[in-house]
Amino acid sequence: MKEQLTEEQKKFLTAEGKVVVKACPGSGKTYSVAHKLLSYIDNWKDYHSGVAVLSFTNVASNEIQEKAQTIHGSLGELGYPHFIGTVDSFIDEFIVLRYGHLDTVSNVRPRITITDTWKMPYGFWRKECHSKGCIDNIEQFYYGIDKKFYKGNEPVKCEKRNARSLPCQQYKKMLQDRGIIFQNETALFAYQLLKKYPMVASAIAERFPVIIIDEAQDTSVNQMAVFDLLSKSGVKSMFLVGDADQSIYEWRNASPECFLQKVEDTSWQTIELTGNFRSSQNICNVTSYFSASLRGTKSNNAIGYWKDEVQKPILLLTKNNSENDTIDYFIKKCMEMQIGISPKNVAVLTRGRIYSDTDIKGLWKSAEIELYAKAAYEWKYGSRKKAYENTEKATYCMIFNEDTDKYMMQQKIREHTTEESWKDFIINILINIPDVDMEIAEWVKEFSTIFVDVCKNCEYKISPDKEIKDTFKIKRNDNKSPDFKKISLKKFFEKKNEEKYTRSSIHGVKGESYEAVLLHVKSRTGSTITPKLLMEGELEQELMRLAYVAMTRPRRLLMLAMPDTKGIKTCGRFSEELWTYENL
Ligand SMILES: Nc1ncnc2c1ncn2[C@@H]1O[C@H](COP(=O)(O)OP(=O)(O)OP(=O)(O)O)[C@@H](O)[C@H]1O
């Protein structure tokens, strides 16, 4: 298998030390990471230390595991001493939960949560704390490595008060004093802990002498600080594999700058993967103009099956055409190119979510009831596995009043009950779950009763901090769809009626490949992807990176549809040499 790797990929395979892998779209990041992992574990002799392969979502981690299995053939589940999982679960499990008690008030084991399920009574909340929504969103507040207090990506600005300690900071302290840490704070907590106890940092470095981080452009400043400390504390090899041009998770604190700093840092070796297995050279030539690292001065090399596809990307200029007209035009073009029209081959992408009549904003009053409702749908019409997973997650929140990732959840379940009893309990909920053909309001009512009964029968106690009537609840009124409560639950989860092709937001297709992609830019105005943004916008901004992710998905046909705009033909990014201009 190894001989199939490109020269660039081989360089990564044999590299050691501190290494950044700057990888272009379609360069086989997951494939290369899987090979790298196998290169270690094939000859691994140490029982007490292992390789950690980290990514940002469970889906991405599973992909690496699956890829490794496909390459190897007879690998089996990769377990101790190695670890394949998310950056969050690595930090939580191996640092915060294992050593966190060293650094909490009264030395309690920290509790990690995603949302504030405690809602502690706190008398000093001012009116504006309510009206600005700060109270209900306390999980969005956190301290940065720079000691500033943040809400989302911005330092907290509370113009109404100049107190030394803001109410939100005071509330945060109350939670911290009880050992409660939000998921977005665990990296900072871990960083401070490792700084204070260098022995802990050395112990972790010894436990994981090799750390590989995939999609490393999505690392936050705080997470990178943790890995920097580990690297200084004895980790033998650390690999950051990513593409800064594809960082589209700023709202989750992803900081592509951290990744770029490592590329600049001479103490890190940089390896570039510039061969694109996915797209044609014609597509690579065009997309290079929208990449901050290439800036149209050079292109990635198309090296895959469709590298010589002659069809140039199409710039379709529209004039008040309906969306359907635009899509029809695109589909016709796909057919001309003999591309089979299927969701696997063809994708229509827009920015943001796709709305339909049953998209009722704020429908579910808690994450738990939404998970149960989805589970009910999956149980009857979709995947039983998904139904089980959703029910398990929601039930865990109901019983333990904690919202955490899968890995942590399983640890705690094992601590408190037997796996068998827990499984029976979840299955019991699913067997008794009301039918999704029921009207949604009725369904929620019925489910509440059934849930309480099943808990009683299976001898599981609902957390005293969970009020059934507040948790199993849906919105009261909706101006746009006043009769929404009468719609059957089934209708809310039925797939949008797009069997012919994939229709998705750009975030939804990150990491995917299609034969043909239509990126539909609908409007000239707004803080979204507009013709003006594409023509002259800064390349180092998230909207541009979103456009880049979209444009780098197709193998053969990229069509960009947008309103005809003055000056487009003279704009370097849309040169007639690279694009075929068509009008609708
Ligand atoms: N050496 C190789 N030989 C043949 N095919 C390869 C090789 N390396 C990668 N590929 C294939 O290239 C395709 C693109 O790989 P992959 O989806 O992992 O790219 P990527 O780098 O994650 O892309 P993106 O960042 O754009 O999502 C996959 O089908 C993969 O199997």
Short mmCIF file of all heavy atoms in Angstrom, two decimals, residues 4-6 9 23-32 63 67 214-215 243 246 273 276-278 509-513 552-553 555, ligand 1:
data_model
loop_
_atom_site.label_atom_id
_atom_site.label_comp_id
_atom_site.label_asym_id
_atom_site.label_seq_id
_atom_site.Cartn_x
_atom_site.Cartn_y
_atom_site.Cartn_z
N GLN A 4 1.78 3.51 -2.94
CA GLN A 4 0.80 4.39 -3.57
C GLN A 4 0.87 5.83 -3.06
O GLN A 4 0.27 6.71 -3.63
CB GLN A 4 -0.60 3.86 -3.34
CG GLN A 4 -0.91 2.65 -4.19
CD GLN A 4 -2.32 2.18 -4.02
OE1 GLN A 4 -3.08 2.74 -3.23
NE2 GLN A 4 -2.68 1.15 -4.74
N LEU A 5 1.58 6.02 -1.97
CA LEU A 5 1.67 7.38 -1.42
C LEU A 5 2.48 8.27 -2.36
O LEU A 5 3.43 7.81 -3.00
CB LEU A 5 2.35 7.35 -0.05
CG LEU A 5 1.60 6.64 1.07
CD1 LEU A 5 2.51 6.44 2.26
CD2 LEU A 5 0.38 7.45 1.48
N THR A 6 2.13 9.53 -2.42
CA THR A 6 2.92 10.46 -3.24
C THR A 6 4.22 10.78 -2.50
O THR A 6 4.34 10.50 -1.31
CB THR A 6 2.16 11.78 -3.46
OG1 THR A 6 1.99 12.40 -2.18
CG2 THR A 6 0.81 11.56 -4.10
N GLN A 9 3.45 12.85 0.45
CA GLN A 9 2.85 12.06 1.54
C GLN A 9 3.90 11.20 2.23
O GLN A 9 3.88 11.04 3.46
CB GLN A 9 1.71 11.19 0.99
CG GLN A 9 0.47 11.99 0.59
CD GLN A 9 -0.58 11.12 -0.10
OE1 GLN A 9 -0.26 10.12 -0.72
NE2 GLN A 9 -1.83 11.54 -0.02
N ALA A 23 -1.76 21.15 4.07
CA ALA A 23 -2.32 20.26 3.05
C ALA A 23 -3.42 20.96 2.26
O ALA A 23 -4.31 21.57 2.85
CB ALA A 23 -2.87 19.02 3.74
N CYS A 24 -3.38 20.84 0.96
CA CYS A 24 -4.40 21.50 0.13
C CYS A 24 -5.67 20.64 0.07
O CYS A 24 -5.65 19.47 0.47
CB CYS A 24 -3.84 21.76 -1.27
SG CYS A 24 -3.86 20.33 -2.35
N PRO A 25 -6.78 21.19 -0.44
CA PRO A 25 -8.00 20.39 -0.56
C PRO A 25 -7.73 19.13 -1.39
O PRO A 25 -6.96 19.18 -2.36
CB PRO A 25 -8.97 21.31 -1.29
CG PRO A 25 -8.47 22.68 -1.03
CD PRO A 25 -6.98 22.57 -0.91
N GLY A 26 -8.37 18.04 -1.03
CA GLY A 26 -8.26 16.81 -1.81
C GLY A 26 -6.90 16.14 -1.76
O GLY A 26 -6.61 15.25 -2.56
N SER A 27 -6.04 16.57 -0.81
CA SER A 27 -4.68 16.03 -0.81
C SER A 27 -4.59 14.72 -0.03
O SER A 27 -3.51 14.16 0.13
CB SER A 27 -3.70 17.05 -0.25
OG SER A 27 -4.11 17.45 1.02
N GLY A 28 -5.73 14.28 0.49
CA GLY A 28 -5.72 13.00 1.21
C GLY A 28 -5.22 13.13 2.63
O GLY A 28 -4.41 12.32 3.07
N LYS A 29 -5.71 14.12 3.34
CA LYS A 29 -5.28 14.34 4.72
C LYS A 29 -5.60 13.11 5.59
O LYS A 29 -4.73 12.58 6.26
CB LYS A 29 -5.99 15.57 5.32
CG LYS A 29 -5.38 16.87 4.86
CD LYS A 29 -5.99 18.05 5.59
CE LYS A 29 -7.22 18.59 4.91
NZ LYS A 29 -6.97 19.14 3.59
N THR A 30 -6.87 12.72 5.52
CA THR A 30 -7.29 11.60 6.37
C THR A 30 -6.51 10.34 6.00
O THR A 30 -6.05 9.60 6.87
CB THR A 30 -8.79 11.33 6.15
OG1 THR A 30 -9.44 12.60 6.10
CG2 THR A 30 -9.38 10.51 7.25
N TYR A 31 -6.35 10.13 4.72
CA TYR A 31 -5.61 8.98 4.19
C TYR A 31 -4.17 8.99 4.72
O TYR A 31 -3.66 7.99 5.20
CB TYR A 31 -5.63 9.12 2.66
CG TYR A 31 -4.97 8.05 1.86
CD1 TYR A 31 -5.63 6.85 1.60
CD2 TYR A 31 -3.70 8.24 1.34
CE1 TYR A 31 -5.03 5.88 0.82
CE2 TYR A 31 -3.09 7.27 0.57
CZ TYR A 31 -3.75 6.09 0.31
OH TYR A 31 -3.14 5.13 -0.45
N SER A 32 -3.53 10.16 4.68
CA SER A 32 -2.14 10.25 5.13
C SER A 32 -2.04 10.08 6.64
O SER A 32 -1.11 9.44 7.13
CB SER A 32 -1.54 11.61 4.75
OG SER A 32 -1.76 11.87 3.40
N GLU A 63 -13.75 8.53 10.98
CA GLU A 63 -13.26 8.42 9.61
C GLU A 63 -11.81 7.96 9.60
O GLU A 63 -11.42 7.11 8.80
CB GLU A 63 -13.36 9.78 8.94
CG GLU A 63 -14.08 9.75 7.62
CD GLU A 63 -14.22 11.15 7.09
OE1 GLU A 63 -13.24 11.68 6.55
OE2 GLU A 63 -15.32 11.73 7.25
N LYS A 67 -10.56 4.60 7.97
CA LYS A 67 -9.54 4.64 6.90
C LYS A 67 -8.39 3.70 7.27
O LYS A 67 -7.91 2.93 6.45
CB LYS A 67 -9.08 6.08 6.78
CG LYS A 67 -8.63 6.68 5.50
CD LYS A 67 -9.23 6.59 4.29
CE LYS A 67 -9.25 6.95 2.97
NZ LYS A 67 -10.20 7.75 2.39
N ASP A 214 -5.42 16.22 13.40
CA ASP A 214 -5.96 16.41 12.05
C ASP A 214 -6.85 17.65 12.06
O ASP A 214 -7.37 18.03 13.11
CB ASP A 214 -6.78 15.16 11.69
CG ASP A 214 -7.13 15.12 10.21
OD1 ASP A 214 -6.51 15.88 9.44
OD2 ASP A 214 -8.02 14.34 9.82
N GLU A 215 -7.05 18.27 10.92
CA GLU A 215 -7.86 19.51 10.81
C GLU A 215 -7.34 20.55 11.81
O GLU A 215 -8.13 21.25 12.46
CB GLU A 215 -9.34 19.24 11.08
CG GLU A 215 -9.99 18.21 10.17
CD GLU A 215 -10.34 18.74 8.78
OE1 GLU A 215 -10.13 19.95 8.51
OE2 GLU A 215 -10.80 17.93 7.96
N ASP A 243 -5.40 22.79 6.84
CA ASP A 243 -5.44 23.73 5.72
C ASP A 243 -6.10 25.01 6.23
O ASP A 243 -7.32 25.04 6.43
CB ASP A 243 -6.26 23.12 4.57
CG ASP A 243 -6.37 24.06 3.38
OD1 ASP A 243 -5.78 25.16 3.43
OD2 ASP A 243 -7.06 23.70 2.40
N GLN A 246 -9.25 26.47 4.85
CA GLN A 246 -10.55 25.81 5.05
C GLN A 246 -11.06 25.94 6.49
O GLN A 246 -11.88 25.15 6.93
CB GLN A 246 -10.43 24.32 4.70
CG GLN A 246 -10.23 24.08 3.22
CD GLN A 246 -10.41 22.61 2.90
OE1 GLN A 246 -11.48 22.05 3.02
NE2 GLN A 246 -9.32 21.97 2.49
N LEU A 273 1.47 19.39 1.28
CA LEU A 273 0.81 18.45 0.37
C LEU A 273 0.09 19.30 -0.67
O LEU A 273 -0.91 19.93 -0.38
CB LEU A 273 -0.19 17.56 1.11
CG LEU A 273 0.32 16.70 2.28
CD1 LEU A 273 -0.80 15.81 2.83
CD2 LEU A 273 1.49 15.81 1.85
N ASN A 276 -3.64 17.55 -5.53
CA ASN A 276 -5.08 17.44 -5.26
C ASN A 276 -5.65 16.24 -6.02
O ASN A 276 -5.70 16.24 -7.25
CB ASN A 276 -5.76 18.75 -5.70
CG ASN A 276 -7.25 18.76 -5.42
OD1 ASN A 276 -7.89 17.71 -5.34
ND2 ASN A 276 -7.80 19.95 -5.28
N PHE A 277 -6.05 15.22 -5.27
CA PHE A 277 -6.60 14.00 -5.89
C PHE A 277 -8.05 14.19 -6.33
O PHE A 277 -8.59 13.35 -7.02
CB PHE A 277 -6.56 12.83 -4.89
CG PHE A 277 -5.22 12.21 -4.76
CD1 PHE A 277 -4.36 12.58 -3.73
CD2 PHE A 277 -4.78 11.28 -5.69
CE1 PHE A 277 -3.10 12.01 -3.62
CE2 PHE A 277 -3.53 10.70 -5.58
CZ PHE A 277 -2.69 11.07 -4.55
N ARG A 278 -8.67 15.25 -5.86
CA ARG A 278 -10.11 15.39 -6.13
C ARG A 278 -10.40 16.10 -7.45
O ARG A 278 -11.01 15.54 -8.36
CB ARG A 278 -10.76 16.16 -4.97
CG ARG A 278 -12.25 16.37 -5.18
CD ARG A 278 -12.85 17.20 -4.06
NE ARG A 278 -12.71 16.54 -2.77
CZ ARG A 278 -12.18 17.12 -1.69
NH1 ARG A 278 -11.75 18.36 -1.74
NH2 ARG A 278 -12.09 16.45 -0.56
N VAL A 509 -21.04 20.27 3.85
CA VAL A 509 -20.29 19.43 2.89
C VAL A 509 -18.78 19.50 3.12
O VAL A 509 -18.00 19.02 2.30
CB VAL A 509 -20.60 19.80 1.42
CG1 VAL A 509 -22.05 19.50 1.09
CG2 VAL A 509 -20.25 21.25 1.12
N LYS A 510 -18.38 20.07 4.24
CA LYS A 510 -16.95 20.13 4.58
C LYS A 510 -16.38 18.71 4.53
O LYS A 510 -16.97 17.78 5.09
CB LYS A 510 -16.80 20.73 5.98
CG LYS A 510 -15.42 20.77 6.51
CD LYS A 510 -14.80 22.11 6.26
CE LYS A 510 -13.31 22.16 6.35
NZ LYS A 510 -12.58 21.18 7.07
N GLY A 511 -15.28 18.55 3.80
CA GLY A 511 -14.66 17.22 3.74
C GLY A 511 -15.23 16.29 2.67
O GLY A 511 -14.71 15.22 2.46
N GLU A 512 -16.32 16.72 2.00
CA GLU A 512 -16.96 15.84 1.01
C GLU A 512 -16.45 16.10 -0.41
O GLU A 512 -15.83 17.13 -0.68
CB GLU A 512 -18.49 16.09 1.00
CG GLU A 512 -19.17 15.87 2.31
CD GLU A 512 -19.34 14.40 2.65
OE1 GLU A 512 -19.22 13.57 1.74
OE2 GLU A 512 -19.56 14.10 3.83
N SER A 513 -16.74 15.17 -1.31
CA SER A 513 -16.42 15.34 -2.73
C SER A 513 -17.67 15.07 -3.56
O SER A 513 -18.46 14.18 -3.21
CB SER A 513 -15.38 14.32 -3.19
OG SER A 513 -14.25 14.35 -2.38
N THR A 552 -14.00 24.02 -3.73
CA THR A 552 -13.02 22.93 -3.84
C THR A 552 -13.67 21.55 -3.66
O THR A 552 -12.96 20.56 -3.57
CB THR A 552 -11.89 23.11 -2.79
OG1 THR A 552 -12.49 23.29 -1.50
CG2 THR A 552 -11.02 24.30 -3.11
N ARG A 553 -15.00 21.48 -3.60
CA ARG A 553 -15.67 20.17 -3.45
C ARG A 553 -15.79 19.37 -4.74
O ARG A 553 -15.82 18.15 -4.71
CB ARG A 553 -17.08 20.33 -2.85
CG ARG A 553 -17.19 20.85 -1.43
CD ARG A 553 -16.31 20.15 -0.46
NE ARG A 553 -15.05 20.86 -0.26
CZ ARG A 553 -13.97 20.32 0.27
NH1 ARG A 553 -13.94 19.06 0.61
NH2 ARG A 553 -12.87 21.02 0.42
N ARG A 555 -15.26 17.42 -8.39
CA ARG A 555 -14.20 16.76 -9.16
C ARG A 555 -14.15 17.33 -10.57
O ARG A 555 -13.10 17.66 -11.08
CB ARG A 555 -14.46 15.25 -9.26
CG ARG A 555 -14.50 14.55 -7.93
CD ARG A 555 -14.50 13.02 -8.10
NE ARG A 555 -14.56 12.38 -6.81
CZ ARG A 555 -15.68 11.95 -6.23
NH1 ARG A 555 -16.84 12.04 -6.86
NH2 ARG A 555 -15.66 11.42 -5.04
N1 LIG B 1 -1.76 8.47 -2.50
C1 LIG B 1 -3.01 8.39 -2.91
N2 LIG B 1 -3.32 7.64 -3.99
C2 LIG B 1 -4.58 7.57 -4.42
N3 LIG B 1 -5.62 8.22 -3.87
C3 LIG B 1 -5.36 9.00 -2.81
C4 LIG B 1 -4.07 9.12 -2.27
N4 LIG B 1 -4.12 9.97 -1.22
C5 LIG B 1 -5.41 10.35 -1.12
N5 LIG B 1 -6.15 9.77 -2.06
C6 LIG B 1 -7.61 9.95 -2.26
O1 LIG B 1 -7.87 11.31 -2.48
C7 LIG B 1 -9.20 11.63 -2.09
C8 LIG B 1 -9.21 12.91 -1.29
O2 LIG B 1 -8.78 12.65 -0.01
P1 LIG B 1 -9.41 13.31 1.28
O3 LIG B 1 -10.89 13.37 1.17
O4 LIG B 1 -8.79 12.63 2.46
O5 LIG B 1 -8.85 14.73 1.10
P2 LIG B 1 -8.71 15.90 2.10
O6 LIG B 1 -7.31 16.30 2.10
O7 LIG B 1 -9.33 15.53 3.42
O8 LIG B 1 -9.60 16.98 1.37
P3 LIG B 1 -10.38 18.27 1.92
O9 LIG B 1 -9.47 18.94 2.88
O10 LIG B 1 -10.60 19.08 0.70
O11 LIG B 1 -11.64 17.79 2.52
C9 LIG B 1 -9.72 10.43 -1.34
O12 LIG B 1 -10.59 9.73 -2.16
C10 LIG B 1 -8.44 9.63 -1.04
O13 LIG B 1 -8.68 8.25 -0.94
#
